């Protein structure tokens, strides 16, 4: 899991590092830096972690049983930079990359492993309550095994959303999204690409002490056709003096 942290909260730069160790020859190390100067702020982090692990299958009667240790190694980095262009206008760009080597039991004699490279970039623009977002992610996985294979996935997306303040107690969130997915693989799929266009409306507010929410969403998928979903929720607080 890779997490983008919040932007630096105060002027100047901060640096840090951490290390950890545990059983199964597990180890982790990370470095990070954040800065804020004028309209600019950002962060950069790098992580390395590994573990010798244990055998993924412990049943000798299993066809794929192999008594070797099945560990993993991950090298990751993330970076982000933001600019507060005006009091109600900001822009952010974030990138991440992970390099993962994971062992598993796929046959009795082979040191099976999955080699994965993941990359993503996202750009966001906030203008007076309207958020525009563009993103692209790539996932390349190769199975080094007696039964080799490979998957190459590409995902692109664009979205816009705005929160309308109807009155002090009620607001309406409107959003539209487009998502394009492509996959190239050593396996045979009936469909290796799809586009999905979506729209969302969510009404949120208070009625007395209760919080209400009503949501409707429509998705038009090239693979699954058009689907409409909705929901209504109510949250009613209990007495403040009630204790458990």
């Amino acid at each position: 899991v890779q997490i983008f942290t919040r932007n630096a909260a105060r002027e100047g730069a901060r640096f840090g590092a951490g290390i950890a160790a545990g059983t199964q020859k597990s180890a982790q190390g990370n470095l990070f830096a954040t800065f804020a100067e004028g309209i600019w702020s950002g962060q950069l982090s790098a992580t390395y972690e590994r573990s010798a692990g244990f055998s993924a299958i412990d049943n000798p009667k299993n066809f794929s049983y192999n008594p070797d240790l099945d560990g993993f190694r991950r090298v990751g980095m993330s970076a982000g930079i933001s600019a507060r262009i005006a009091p109600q206008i900001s822009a952010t760009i974030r990138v991440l990359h992970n390099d993962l080597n994971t062992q598993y039991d796929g046959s009795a004699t082979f040191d099976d492993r999955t080699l994965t490279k993941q990359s993503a970039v996202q750009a966001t623009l906030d203008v007076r309550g309207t958020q525009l977002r563009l993103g692209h992610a790539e996932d390349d996985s190769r199975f080094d095994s007696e039964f080799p294979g490979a998957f190459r996935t590409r995902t692109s997306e664009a979205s816009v959303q705005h929160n309308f303040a109807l009155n002090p107690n009620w607001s309406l969130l409107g959003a539209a999204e487009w998502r394009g997915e492509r996959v190239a693989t050593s396996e045979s799929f009936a469909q290796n690409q799809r586009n999905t266009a979506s729209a969302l409306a969510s009404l949120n507010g208070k009625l007395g002490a209760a919080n209400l929410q009503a949501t409707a969403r429509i998705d038009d998928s090239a693979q699954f056709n058009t689907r409409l979903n909705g929901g209504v929720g109510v949250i009613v607080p209990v007495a403040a003096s009630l204790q458990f």
Side-chain angles (χ1 to χ4, degrees), residues 36 55 59 98 107 109 115 130-131 144 153 165 168 187 195 201 216 227:
S55 182
N59 181 6
N98 280 309
S107 62
T109 59
L115 306 173
T130 299
Q131 185 179 87
D144 188 5
T153 304
E187 304 294 327
N195 296 327
R227 295 289 187 270

Side-chain angles (χ1 to χ4, degrees), residues 104 114-118 138-144 147-154 182-189 191-192:
Y104 66 96
T114 302
L115 306 173
T116 302
K117 295 183 182 295
Q118 301 171 320
E138 301 185 355
D139 187 318
D140 292 328
S141 296
R142 177 171 59 87
F143 301 100
D144 188 5
F147 310 97
F151 286 86
R152 185 182 184 188
T153 304
R154 301 289 182 266
R182 306 290 183 269
V183 60
T185 173
S186 55
E187 304 294 327
S188 178
F189 287 133
Q191 186 166 347
N192 58 12

Side-chain angles (χ1 to χ4, degrees), residues 84-152:
R84 177 67 65 176
I85 302 170
Q88 297 188 58
I89 303 176
S90 64
T92 301
I93 296 179
R94 298 184 177 98
V95 296
L96 71 81
H97 178 78
N98 280 309
D99 194 334
L100 185 64
N101 184 327
T102 307
Q103 295 172 288
Y104 66 96
D105 284 342
S107 62
T109 59
F110 204 95
D111 182 18
D112 304 276
R113 62 186 63 222
T114 302
L115 306 173
T116 302
K117 295 183 182 295
Q118 301 171 320
S119 300
V121 58
Q122 183 184 84
T124 304
L125 177 65
D126 286 286
V127 181
R128 299 181 180 274
T130 299
Q131 185 179 87
L132 306 173
R133 181 177 298 167
L134 297 174
H136 181 76
E138 301 185 355
D139 187 318
D140 292 328
S141 296
R142 177 171 59 87
F143 301 100
D144 188 5
S145 166
E146 282 190 24
F147 310 97
F151 286 86
R152 185 182 184 188

Side-chain angles (χ1 to χ4, degrees), residues 14 60 66 69 134 144 146 148 179:
R14 296 174 58 241
N66 189 327
L69 299 179
L134 297 174
D144 188 5
E146 282 190 24
R179 183 182 180 91

Side-chain angles (χ1 to χ4, degrees), residues 1-138:
V1 177
Q2 186 75 43
I3 299 174
F4 287 122
T5 60
R6 291 180 180 273
N7 294 337
R10 58 181 183 271
E11 296 276 325
R14 296 174 58 241
F15 303 91
I19 58 173
T23 58
Q24 314 303 135
K25 297 182 180 179
S26 300
Q28 183 185 75
N30 62 77
L31 300 170
F32 74 88
T34 64
F35 78 93
E37 186 67 35
I39 67 170
W40 298 97
S41 63
Q43 59 279 328
L44 174 67
S45 67
T47 301
Y48 172 84
E49 56 182 332
R50 58 151 294 164
S51 175
F54 48 84
S55 182
I57 297 177
D58 59 5
N59 181 6
K61 296 181 180 180
N62 190 300
F63 171 80
S64 300
Y65 171 74
N66 189 327
D68 67 339
L69 299 179
D70 298 308
F72 78 94
R73 185 190 74 244
R74 183 180 75 88
V75 179
M77 63 80 62
S78 68
I81 186 167
S82 298
R84 177 67 65 176
I85 302 170
Q88 297 188 58
I89 303 176
S90 64
T92 301
I93 296 179
R94 298 184 177 98
V95 296
L96 71 81
H97 178 78
N98 280 309
D99 194 334
L100 185 64
N101 184 327
T102 307
Q103 295 172 288
Y104 66 96
D105 284 342
S107 62
T109 59
F110 204 95
D111 182 18
D112 304 276
R113 62 186 63 222
T114 302
L115 306 173
T116 302
K117 295 183 182 295
Q118 301 171 320
S119 300
V121 58
Q122 183 184 84
T124 304
L125 177 65
D126 286 286
V127 181
R128 299 181 180 274
T130 299
Q131 185 179 87
L132 306 173
R133 181 177 298 167
L134 297 174
H136 181 76
E138 301 185 355

Side-chain angles (χ1 to χ4, degrees), residues 165-208:
L166 304 179
N167 59 46
N169 291 325
W170 290 88
S171 64
L172 177 64
L173 173 68
E177 179 184 84
W178 176 86
R179 183 182 180 91
E181 299 165 287
R182 306 290 183 269
V183 60
T185 173
S186 55
E187 304 294 327
S188 178
F189 287 133
Q191 186 166 347
N192 58 12
Q193 63 180 27
R194 67 185 175 203
N195 296 327
T196 304
S198 308
L200 166 75
S202 179
L203 181 65
N204 302 270
K206 297 188 65 175
L207 190 61

